[in-house]
Amino acid sequence: MGRKTFKRTVFAHAVLLAIAATVSTGAMAQSNATGSLSGTVDMTPGVTVVLTNKDTGARRVLTPDANGRFSAPSMATGNYKAEALVNGKVVNSNDNIEVRVGLGTDVSLGTSLKTVTVVGSAKKIEMASMGSTTVFTANDLAKVPVAANVGAVIQLAPNTTRGDSRFGGGNAPSFGGSSSSENAYYINGFPVTTLLTQVGFSQLPFNSISQAQVLTGGYGAEFGRSTGGVVNIVTKSGTNDWMAGASYSISPNNLRASQKNIYYERNGTPLDGKLRFYNEANEQTDQTVSGYIGGPLIQDKLFMFFSGEYARSTFSNNRLANTAAAGSLSTASWQDRVVQTPRYLLKLDWNVTDANHLEYTRISDKVQDNRTYSGFNFGTLQRTNAPGGGADYLNWGPTPVASQQGAEVDILKYTGYLTDDLTLTAVLGRTRTPHEQTPAGYNPTIAQVSAPSGNTPPSLGVVPILQGTTGNLLTPGAFDTNKGARLDVEWKANSNHTLRVGIEKNTIDSLAGASTAGGNLWVYLKTDPLTQPDIHTQPTSSVVGNPLAQQGYYVQRVVSATKSTPTVDQTAQYIEDRWQITPTVLLSLGLRNEGFNNKNGDGKSYIDLPTQIAPRFGATWDAKGDQSLKVFGNLGRYHVPLPTNVAVRGAGSSLNAQTDYVYTGIDANGMPTGLTAISPFYSANNELGQAKDPREVAAQDMKGNFQDELAFGFEQAVSKNLNIGAKFTYRTLRTAIDDHCDDRPFFAWAARNGVDASNWGYNCALFNPGEDNTFNLDLNGDGKLESIHLTAADLGFPPVDRKYIALDLFAEHPFDGKWYGKATYTFSRNEGNFEGQLLSDIGQADVSTSQAFDFPEFSVNAQGPLPNQRKHQVKLFGYYQLTPEWGFGGNFLWASGRPRNCIGNAPAPVGSDAPFVPGDPVTNYSGYGSAYFFCQGQPSPRGSLGELDADMKLDLNFIYKPGFAKGLSLKMDIFNVFNNQSVEAIEERMYARGSSTVQSTYSQVQSYTAPRSVKLTASYDYKF
């Protein structure tokens, strides 16, 4: 048995023994979708405490310890009543208790059994949590003007910001400087993070959210698979009262401000200052119909809650850019788009007994996106009726990456209160997301044709193009699934120690890939008749005797296909001791182990990281002993996995190759005739469809992708109407995983070791950038793998660096029956040479396979402020109940702009025969074009061009609930009141690939924030 296997086995057995021990002695578990209650009573013979859920009648009976303390972990969220009984008689009660997800609530029944102290968040600080957590209830979300999606809710929390608009923006937020793929999302305790890319998450009907917990750092050992943040959603459930409701909302186009046009920057090109996108004429109308019903199927026992939502958005917008100074005309520049999103949730809750609870959740989320393209004339700014194709998508889409989610989700959860001190929680679940792409006019029997003007002989006329689509198409039957299970046990060993252990496993499968529509693409090309078309072509007698070839005309047959059925096994075990050292000091000592096993389509591992130890430490101090001042701190390590998409091209079979031909004619389908090959079937990246050896696609014995975090701060209840606080956060990324594509270190190794690698071609491999790595590769083609150890210096990369430092300040006015408000200010710095798993610099969404570490030259001058840095952020939100009928809400954001870069060519390009010099800034070996932090031949360090404009937005709402029509609510939300459309991203690449002339799109705006819009909502709720 190897050392790694032995360690893994010992650790797994230790955890299983710990679980067995806790179960055998009467211990228990806390689910990550619940809260907890604790408190004190005077100890009197015969005293018990009864906790009753006011909505469902579920009860827990507790016996206080010798000091009068009682605690109830894993309490379902909701409203509760606590009663103190002596010999079965109620002598005191508190019926103003709210349990929030992930938080502890203190319930004091007084210092004697004759008095009661009602405890609420306005009077005392919650002491159980040690991290950075914000909880929003359904009531909060109904009163604050926030878009009806989880992404918008997340951005109310400090240390969060919109991700790059090309990844989905608000639907793919960044937490604490991390990239948008480094977050974890849960619904009712089960993970719903997007499986293929980890960018985004499955949604649910917005009116079914009971509570949303946003964890921006410092979370305990029960959470993992995140170096960003965690979003934990608890859905609504049925109660003992039948209730139903319906609502309709519309954001009409005629109440929406015009979008800003996008113009070409002045870069010395013929397009300087010309219109690029005519957004002024864009139209958008959003409509949503929703409804719900919930109640008891059996009073106090069995409950049902069902909610449904149908959203329909229609768009009419400029799709493709103007490409001519005088105004181009295109048959596919305009788009009419209809996005339909039907969703529903079914929740069943069964109180089997007071000590046993069973629940089932079913969620259906689909995104149906139908697009029809037509012509637009940029010269006249008028649409034409010329059809230009289109496509229908299901849970998919070209861009943005995170906008097209969807899943069918099933979750079964059991909670058992086995004793007062022992709780067991078990979760089984699965998700499935099908992906479909159906192009308009697609004919699978006809190849694609590309025939730019001037690239074909005039004598042959206009080349017919009959294929209705271009590019690659999604593999038919594509899907992602996850089957998961989780077990948590919590045991209150004594008055000072509460132990928690848990195990978890998820198995993720995908069918993914894409291939050339119609089988292949014919690209008509023309070159100087005196030169060869390409380094791979060879002159032949057919070229000499071919009149078209003698004029430089040739054609290229391009074939591209990737298909893979990758699997990822994710496992985790954790143990945590919450140790009450003194009555005012609480420690949390946790240890988590995570395992990520990524497999190719044959089920063979290409990265197996079974032992990734993550210690977690936290502490809270009730500084004054009356829960008015909490001082807290935490220190922990956090890992993030690789998603399945890494295997699609990196570990699966990949075909991306072409053959060059000369030809004599073109047929009626646009296909060349009289073909003679002048090149072999070749691939620039050695992607010839061959299966990849899983031992070659990744370095051996890699470290996982992880970061460390330190945070500390305080919260104080200054009065019942004012809470304040501050927090300092420091995060540092320790290691990363990305792909490497530079063959020079291997040729240098082969030369040093006398290995003939003249016929070898490198196809990229995953590795730890900035670390020593050992690769297994067959350099000499004898079928045997050489073990090639390369140091960080051999590979030429500096250590990976991403540091996030932030100071948060907040002030909160708890709701006092009249108004609620919260203000936060965050100062942060997010700097380094690596954003994370994504590359916002160029909008590259290839998770963990970006170009950032393909070649070491890309790291030169890469140190600086990273794309998700917003130095200053001010967030204000709240609501005011003017009268029982009228209410108002506000939501304000001011954030400094994103760092700005210039990414250009290396200053002195040289050929592929250049010697390898690690970090040499004058080596332009990659052929990527603008990929270096050089601008016009001079160093251009990351972020050295300043910042984009600040982002400022004010949202307001007005709510009217007429007294004469109980249950009716009329609401108007105004988003972006001052219509401040801020720049979200720009094109930071100076040159087009293979060019040294500044491209017309350099520094060009990629997108603006949304214009002012108005949403009108009418809803009606009825209690039977």
Side-chain angles (χ1 to χ4, degrees):
M1 179 182 292
R3 182 175 298 176
K4 284 175 55 181
T5 305
F6 177 77
K7 288 182 177 178
R8 176 173 54 185
T9 304
V10 169
F11 186 86
H13 285 175
V15 171
L16 291 174
L17 287 172
I19 294 173
T22 55
V23 172
S24 64
T25 55
M28 278 243 279
Q30 165 111 350
S31 165
N32 59 14
T34 61
S36 63
L37 285 171
S38 61
T40 58
V41 295
D42 278 352
M43 275 310 296
T44 299
V47 65
T48 57
V49 175
V50 178
L51 305 175
T52 304
N53 187 306
K54 294 163 66 175
D55 296 320
T56 66
R59 297 179 358 131
R60 288 185 69 176
V61 180
L62 305 172
T63 300
D65 63 19
N67 297 315
R69 292 287 302 174
F70 61 89
S71 62
S74 298
M75 295 291 289
T77 58
N79 299 308
Y80 284 83
K81 177 174 67 174
E83 297 174 308
L85 287 75
V86 176
N87 297 323
K89 180 181 179 181
V90 177
V91 296
N92 216 335
S93 67
N94 179 343
D95 63 356
N96 187 26
I97 303 166
E98 182 182 29
V99 174
R100 294 198 173 198
V101 59
L103 300 180
T105 302
D106 185 82
V107 183
S108 175
L109 292 176
T111 56
S112 72
L113 296 177
K114 299 179 180 178
T115 62
V116 59
T117 301
V118 178
V119 178
S121 61
K123 295 183 178 180
K124 293 191 176 182
I125 300 295
E126 182 271 337
M127 292 286 166
S129 62
M130 301 170 183
S132 306
T133 182
T134 306
V135 177
F136 301 97
T137 67
N139 184 59
D140 298 328
L141 301 179
K143 293 182 178 181
V144 174
V146 61
N149 64 72
V150 175
V153 175
I154 293 169
Q155 292 173 73
L156 294 174
N159 284 289
T160 63
T161 188
R162 277 195 311 271
D164 191 287
S165 58
R166 291 163 289 191
F167 306 149
N171 284 327
S174 166
F175 287 73
S178 65
S179 66
S180 296
S181 66
E182 298 176 46
N183 307 319
Y185 302 88
Y186 295 83
I187 296 178
N188 288 345
F190 191 75
V192 293
T193 311
T194 300
L195 300 173
L196 185 63
T197 64
Q198 294 176 181
V199 180
F201 46 93
S202 300
Q203 301 264 5
L204 71 169
F206 197 70
N207 66 355
S208 63
I209 297 175
S210 174
Q211 295 186 14
Q213 180 190 30
V214 181
L215 292 158
T216 54
Y219 33 91
E222 75 272 29
F223 287 112
R225 298 190 297 277
S226 167
T227 49
V230 172
V231 179
N232 198 20
I233 294 173
V234 176
T235 65
K236 293 179 179 177
S237 297
T239 70
N240 271 325
D241 296 311
W242 279 101
M243 297 186 67
S247 71
Y248 170 74
S249 68
I250 182 171
S251 297
N253 183 69
N254 58 6
L255 293 180
R256 184 183 301 272
S258 297
Q259 288 182 259
K260 282 186 177 182
N261 292 330
I262 295 179
Y263 294 88
Y264 283 96
E265 295 293 311
R266 297 191 176 276
N267 296 320
T269 73
L271 289 168
D272 277 5
K274 301 296 183 181
L275 180 65
R276 176 168 164 77
F277 281 100
Y278 185 52
N279 293 335
E280 188 178 304
N282 292 354
E283 297 181 358
Q284 178 180 343
T285 295
D286 304 315
Q287 300 178 76
T288 301
V289 178
S290 64
Y292 73 91
I293 185 170
L297 299 177
I298 302 175
Q299 198 79 7
D300 290 338
K301 281 289 184 182
L302 185 61
F303 307 90
M304 180 272 288
F305 180 83
F306 178 85
S307 67
E309 177 182 279
Y310 173 76
R312 187 177 191 271
S313 296
T314 58
F315 305 85
S316 184
N317 63 284
N318 183 193
R319 170 177 169 263
L320 300 178
N322 172 34
T323 58
S328 60
L329 172 63
S330 170
T331 60
S333 285
W334 200 265
Q335 159 178 272
D336 290 296
R337 181 182 174 200
V338 178
V339 179
Q340 301 174 85
T341 311
R343 296 184 175 114
Y344 72 79
L345 173 139
L346 172 65
K347 180 80 185 305
L348 298 175
D349 290 87
W350 181 20
N351 295 330
V352 183
T353 67
D354 284 346
N356 296 277
H357 179 81
L358 194 64
E359 61 184 78
Y360 169 70
T361 307
R362 166 72 176 179
I363 301 170
S364 177
D365 175 25
K366 296 180 181 179
V367 182
Q368 300 166 334
D369 188 345
N370 309 113
R371 307 183 183 201
T372 303
Y373 307 147
S374 57
F376 184 77
N377 189 327
F378 278 97
T380 63
L381 298 182
Q382 297 294 319
R383 294 182 60 176
T384 72
N385 293 322
D392 295 339
Y393 302 93
L394 173 66
N395 302 326
W396 195 250
T399 55
V401 173
S403 66
Q404 309 294 329
Q405 304 307 322
E408 303 293 320
V409 183
D410 293 280
I411 307 168
L412 183 64
K413 178 182 175 184
Y414 165 76
T415 303
Y417 307 114
L418 306 186
T419 72
D420 285 0
D421 299 323
L422 183 64
T423 306
L424 172 69
T425 304
V427 178
L428 292 174
R430 67 176 184 179
T431 67
R432 180 178 173 85
T433 302
H435 305 293
E436 296 178 10
Q437 177 187 9
T438 309
Y442 173 56
N443 186 336
T445 66
I446 298 179
Q448 298 177 59
V449 172
S450 174
S453 177
N455 280 17
T456 56
S459 60
L460 297 181
V462 177
V463 178
I465 298 178
L466 303 183
Q467 180 57 271
T469 189
T470 60
N472 288 0
L473 296 183
L474 186 67
T475 296
F479 68 86
D480 307 305
T481 65
N482 177 33
K483 296 178 181 179
R486 178 183 179 117
L487 178 68
D488 298 90
V489 177
E490 181 164 327
W491 175 39
K492 184 179 179 182
N494 53 48
S495 60
N496 296 327
H497 291 275
T498 300
L499 299 177
R500 301 172 61 190
V501 295
I503 57 175
E504 181 181 10
K505 181 175 182 180
N506 294 293
T507 300
I508 299 169
D509 297 288
S510 292
L511 170 60
S515 57
T516 313
N520 63 273
L521 166 66
W522 292 103
V523 182
Y524 288 96
L525 299 166
K526 186 177 187 298
T527 188
D528 186 331
L530 299 179
T531 64
Q532 293 177 214
D534 188 271
I535 61 172
H536 296 276
T537 62
Q538 300 295 327
T540 67
S541 58
S542 298
V543 175
V544 176
N546 185 318
L548 300 183
Q550 290 176 359
Q551 299 175 60
Y553 294 108
Y554 71 107
V555 67
Q556 193 173 78
R557 177 178 177 265
V558 180
V559 180
S560 177
T562 58
K563 183 177 180 180
S564 183
T565 54
T567 299
V568 179
D569 289 332
Q570 299 176 345
T571 58
Q573 309 88 31
Y574 76 89
I575 184 167
E576 181 180 80
D577 178 16
R578 294 178 72 85
W579 179 15
Q580 193 77 49
I581 295 182
T582 73
T584 60
V585 177
L586 174 65
L587 292 186
S588 174
L589 308 175
L591 186 67
R592 180 180 178 90
N593 176 60
E594 292 190 321
F596 307 135
N597 188 357
N598 289 63
K599 304 175 184 178
N600 64 12
D602 296 326
K604 297 180 179 179
S605 298
Y606 62 94
I607 291 184
D608 187 8
L609 303 170
T611 307
Q612 298 182 102
I613 303 299
R616 310 275 175 87
F617 307 103
T620 62
W621 175 35
D622 183 0
K624 293 185 177 181
D626 60 358
Q627 294 185 240
S628 65
L629 174 59
K630 177 172 78 171
V631 179
F632 66 91
N634 52 76
L635 175 66
R637 174 161 291 181
Y638 303 87
H639 295 82
V640 68
L642 295 176
T644 56
N645 82 306
V646 173
V648 175
R649 187 167 180 175
S653 61
S654 179
L655 175 63
N656 187 20
Q658 57 264 355
T659 306
D660 298 329
Y661 300 87
V662 294
Y663 59 97
T664 58
I666 299 174
D667 68 16
N669 291 325
M671 308 297 128
T673 59
L675 292 170
T676 301
I678 57 173
S679 82
F681 186 59
Y682 68 94
S683 170
N685 294 318
N686 195 34
E687 295 178 87
L688 294 169
Q690 70 272 33
K692 296 183 179 68
D693 188 328
R695 297 172 296 173
E696 293 189 90
V697 301
Q700 303 303 299
D701 300 321
M702 284 198 296
K703 299 176 183 177
N705 192 334
F706 68 91
Q707 78 177 12
D708 292 332
E709 177 182 319
L710 168 68
F712 55 85
F714 77 91
E715 296 179 23
Q716 182 175 11
V718 178
S719 70
K720 69 175 183 179
N721 292 322
L722 178 62
N723 299 334
I724 63 171
K727 185 192 71 167
F728 172 81
T729 301
Y730 173 77
R731 288 179 160 189
T732 180
L733 186 68
R734 297 298 189 185
T735 62
I737 297 175
D738 212 289
D739 67 336
H740 170 269
C741 300
D742 187 6
D743 57 11
R744 292 170 295 177
F746 301 103
F747 283 122
W749 181 92
R752 292 194 303 269
N753 291 274
V755 176
D756 180 9
S758 57
N759 294 317
W760 173 75
Y762 190 33
N763 199 27
C764 305
L766 296 164
F767 79 132
N768 290 136
E771 307 257 346
D772 294 356
N773 286 267
T774 300
F775 301 84
N776 287 330
L777 300 171
D778 180 12
L779 297 185
N780 58 12
D782 64 357
K784 298 178 182 179
L785 300 182
E786 285 86 25
S787 179
I788 303 169
H789 180 78
L790 299 175
T791 67
D794 292 333
L795 292 164
F797 292 97
V800 167
D801 182 31
R802 184 183 76 192
K803 291 183 175 63
Y804 179 78
I805 301 174
L807 175 64
D808 293 309
L809 306 174
F810 85 87
E812 181 180 32
H813 181 284
F815 187 64
D816 59 1
K818 202 70 175 177
W819 72 282
Y820 169 85
K822 187 169 185 177
T824 65
Y825 165 72
T826 301
F827 169 77
S828 64
R829 299 293 296 269
N830 181 28
E831 296 187 348
N833 58 20
F834 181 54
E835 175 190 353
Q837 292 185 324
L838 302 175
L839 190 60
S840 296
D841 298 332
I842 61 173
Q844 185 180 6
D846 297 323
V847 182
S848 288
T849 55
S850 72
Q851 72 175 37
F853 295 105
D854 287 3
F855 295 87
E857 290 82 3
F858 298 164
S859 295
V860 178
N861 300 319
Q863 187 77 22
L866 295 166
N868 294 310
Q869 172 174 283
R870 306 293 183 270
K871 284 186 181 178
H872 305 278
Q873 285 198 84
V874 177
K875 298 181 180 182
L876 311 171
F877 61 90
Y879 45 86
Y880 182 76
Q881 196 67 43
L882 180 63
T883 70
E885 294 184 337
W886 284 97
F888 307 91
N891 181 13
F892 173 80
L893 167 70
W894 184 90
S896 54
R898 168 177 167 170
R900 183 171 183 159
N901 302 308
C902 176
I903 302 174
N905 294 341
V910 294
S912 60
D913 58 346
F916 173 67
V917 180
D920 181 0
V922 300
T923 303
N924 186 10
Y925 177 65
S926 69
Y928 284 38
S930 278
Y932 308 84
F933 285 96
F934 285 85
C935 197
Q936 295 180 321
Q938 300 299 316
S940 179
R942 181 187 290 278
S944 58
L945 270 66
E947 298 176 345
L948 300 180
D949 293 339
D951 183 10
M952 185 182 74
K953 188 178 74 162
L954 173 66
D955 304 331
L956 296 174
N957 68 12
F958 306 90
I959 304 172
Y960 175 53
K961 296 182 178 181
F964 61 83
K966 187 176 181 181
L968 177 64
S969 177
L970 304 175
K971 181 180 179 183
M972 178 172 68
D973 292 281
I974 307 173
F975 298 106
N976 196 4
V977 172
F978 297 113
N979 195 31
N980 185 56
Q981 299 181 45
S982 306
V983 176
E984 292 185 303
I986 63 171
E987 174 57 73
E988 297 183 331
R989 289 168 291 189
M990 176 170 277
Y991 308 106
R993 185 168 181 171
S995 172
S996 59
T997 302
V998 176
Q999 63 178 336
S1000 59
T1001 57
Y1002 168 61
S1003 198
Q1004 180 64 63
V1005 173
Q1006 296 295 297
S1007 61
Y1008 291 103
T1009 54
R1012 180 178 56 244
S1013 63
V1014 177
K1015 183 170 75 171
L1016 305 173
T1017 303
S1019 61
Y1020 181 72
D1021 300 284
Y1022 182 76
K1023 187 174 183 179
F1024 293 88

